[in-house]
Amino acid sequence: MAGMYLVSDAEFTFEITRTLNFKLFVLAVLLGVAIALAGVISFRKESTTVNPLKPETASSLVTSGIFQYTRNPMYLGMAVAILGFAILLGSWLSLLGVVAFVLFIERFQIKPEEAALIECFGEQFIQYKKHIRRWL
């Protein structure tokens, strides 16, 4: 997000009005937090780990709640909130921060998590992956 801020002074802006940009920012952050919290709540209901650094400790594969629509609601929520920040900045170049986040989190977090989940849940996770998208 710091990088997004640094490039936001460039001339490639899309600010409609400062007020509208701020309202869209608040909306995106609230939506992002709600999506992420829905994932945490679903994990808590199933009494499984929320810790993304130890997916191998998952006690159950959560496929209910928000996980019926996205395999990664916490990361999706973060991406939506970061998108809100880009909107607040009003810079086309700052949108690259959202792209950078998605590429980074896919490579260094989601793919290792999914490998661990295949180890833990095997065919059940493979079938889930076939029916539910990674993001939306």
Side-chain angles (χ1 to χ4, degrees):
M1 289 174 66
M4 292 167 63
Y5 178 76
L6 291 174
V7 300
S8 69
D9 284 338
E11 294 185 24
F12 303 107
T13 61
F14 60 81
E15 182 176 80
I16 301 163
T17 69
R18 188 165 295 285
T19 303
L20 181 57
N21 280 42
F22 183 75
K23 287 179 181 179
L24 291 173
F25 159 71
V26 171
L27 180 66
V29 169
L30 290 175
L31 179 61
V33 168
I35 291 168
L37 278 176
V40 171
I41 290 167
S42 292
F43 273 12
R44 292 288 184 217
K45 282 183 181 176
E46 295 289 328
S47 299
T48 192
T49 184
V50 179
N51 186 349
L53 302 176
K54 298 193 179 248
E56 66 278 358
T57 63
S59 59
S60 63
L61 180 62
V62 180
T63 61
S64 60
I66 194 144
F67 288 92
Q68 296 174 80
Y69 309 103
T70 175
R71 295 196 315 256
N72 296 286
M74 285 80 107
Y75 303 134
L76 175 60
M78 289 180 214
V80 171
I82 293 168
L83 175 62
F85 185 61
I87 291 169
L88 178 68
L89 295 172
S91 165
W92 290 108
L93 287 176
S94 66
L95 291 172
L96 293 175
V98 181
V99 174
F101 170 78
V102 168
L103 293 175
F104 178 86
I105 209 75
E106 277 201 20
R107 170 67 175 92
F108 295 104
Q109 191 61 44
I110 293 174
K111 288 187 179 185
E113 273 181 18
E114 289 186 345
L117 291 171
I118 288 172
E119 286 292 318
C120 288
F121 302 106
E123 189 61 30
Q124 184 185 7
F125 181 72
I126 292 169
Q127 289 304 312
Y128 173 68
K129 251 176 81 165
K130 287 181 182 178
H131 295 96
I132 305 300
R133 293 176 188 245
R134 181 176 282 162
W135 293 98
L136 282 177

